Amino acid sequence: LRYIMSAELLRGWLNDDVGLSRQVGSFEDDLANGYLIGELLHRHAVMTDSAFGGFKDQQAAIAKIQNFRQVQQALVDLGVTFDSRLANAVITKKPGVALNLIYQIKLAIGSAVTAGAMPDLSASTGGAAGRVAELGPSRVRSTRPVVSESMEAARFTDLLKKSAEDPKEFAESIALARYNEHMLASTRQMEEAATLEQRQRSAFSQQRRQLQLSKTRENRRLMEEWQADGLRKHRENMQRQAEREKAALRFELGQRDKSIRAA
């Protein structure tokens, strides 16, 4: 009876006070992929927007891996004990485990609010501050050490291998995820290479245009210099010709004067 009362109180907190994106009916079924746990932590500012942005509300093994990696770190920050065995129990839907985890999260959030480590969101969410006290002391008495700040991906991969209903499907999902990552990386490399090539082509074309403009300006300058030099030489030739004609005329006039005086 006490378990049922605890479940109803926590269910009311999640559905009515917090107001998750979807209603929690069965703690085991609805929390197994870690999405709503992440959303709960995100709603209370325990998880950043960027961290929660990678969550997927899916049952695929790769989605569970990604979700619980982020959940583990946030729970460590909140001071809630969470290791691979507890994650495995949530994923495999062992009765009472998800309920107790939510209870521990609610207690930790309440303690953080009391200590002033996080804002009190109950006013905006219509929370029931006294409901935690009604649940009584926690039934979880873990003797496991708190995990380090970063749980290794290999441990979660092993966890999902053990909890997956279809190991073949799990392996395929992991392989597909790696293939997708490889394809994304290849696509980025191709795009970067194409961008670099385009930039090089643009730079080469710009260089060619600059060179052509330089040649055109140089040719124009040479033409102007040639024309100016030709005009100068023409003027000099015309001046010399005029001087020669003047000299010839003076000589002819002088000869005529001599002939007249001799006569």
Side-chain angles (χ1 to χ4, degrees):
L1 179 59
R2 186 179 185 83
Y3 177 87
I4 295 175
M5 290 176 60
S6 300
E8 289 301 320
L9 288 170
L10 288 175
R11 189 179 291 109
W13 176 60
L14 293 176
N15 294 336
D16 302 331
D17 298 350
V18 179
L20 299 177
S21 58
R22 56 184 172 86
Q23 293 282 299
V24 175
S26 167
F27 284 89
E28 287 74 21
D29 293 336
D30 295 328
L31 303 181
N33 67 356
Y35 180 84
L36 292 183
I37 300 175
E39 185 178 356
L40 173 63
L41 297 171
H42 178 251
R43 289 288 184 89
H44 287 84
V46 182
M47 182 177 295
T48 63
D49 292 341
S50 59
F52 185 66
F55 272 64
K56 295 181 180 179
D57 193 5
Q58 301 174 0
Q59 300 305 319
I62 190 63
K64 294 179 182 179
I65 291 176
Q66 294 172 346
N67 292 350
F68 275 98
R69 282 177 184 169
Q70 299 296 336
V71 163
Q72 184 272 337
Q73 182 59 65
L75 290 178
V76 169
D77 294 339
L78 190 59
V80 176
T81 299
F82 189 78
D83 60 12
S84 60
R85 289 186 296 169
L86 185 56
N88 181 63
V90 174
I91 292 171
T92 55
K93 306 178 183 180
K94 290 186 177 180
V97 177
L99 174 67
N100 284 329
L101 177 60
I102 295 301
Y103 179 37
Q104 293 300 313
I105 292 174
K106 183 166 176 50
L107 286 176
I109 290 173
S111 297
V113 170
T114 301
M118 68 169 56
D120 186 359
L121 304 181
S122 61
S124 60
T125 59
R131 288 186 180 177
V132 175
E134 295 179 33
L135 295 177
S138 172
R139 297 194 303 276
V140 177
R141 291 292 182 267
S142 175
T143 58
R144 296 167 298 188
V146 178
V147 295
S148 60
E149 291 188 358
S150 59
M151 183 175 290
E152 298 178 359
R155 294 182 64 187
F156 270 108
T157 302
D158 184 63
L159 162 67
L160 266 297
K161 285 181 179 179
K162 294 177 181 178
S163 62
E165 295 181 0
D166 187 348
K168 181 179 180 181
E169 180 182 355
F170 173 83
E172 290 176 351
S173 65
I174 295 297
L176 179 60
R178 290 174 179 171
Y179 174 76
N180 289 337
E181 292 177 357
H182 173 72
M183 290 301 296
L184 288 174
S186 299
T187 301
R188 285 194 296 269
Q189 291 177 356
M190 292 176 63
E191 291 176 350
E192 291 174 357
T195 300
L196 178 60
E197 183 179 0
Q198 181 63 32
R199 289 177 179 174
Q200 291 176 342
R201 288 182 178 179
S202 178
F204 179 71
S205 298
Q206 183 68 19
Q207 186 178 7
R208 289 186 60 184
R209 284 195 295 269
Q210 292 296 332
L211 182 60
Q212 188 64 34
L213 288 174
S214 298
K215 288 183 177 180
T216 301
R217 286 193 293 267
E218 181 65 16
N219 290 338
R220 185 183 298 113
R221 184 186 65 79
L222 292 175
M223 179 61 69
E224 290 174 353
E225 289 180 355
W226 180 79
Q227 290 176 347
D229 185 64
L231 181 60
R232 179 180 58 78
K233 289 181 178 180
H234 176 70
R235 288 175 180 174
E236 291 176 353
N237 291 334
M238 294 297 294
Q239 186 175 2
R240 284 194 292 269
Q241 184 177 353
E243 290 176 353
R244 284 196 298 269
E245 290 177 353
K246 289 179 181 180
L249 180 60
R250 285 195 299 270
F251 177 77
E252 184 179 352
L253 291 175
Q255 291 297 325
R256 287 181 181 180
D257 289 342
K258 289 181 179 179
S259 298
I260 294 173
R261 284 196 298 271

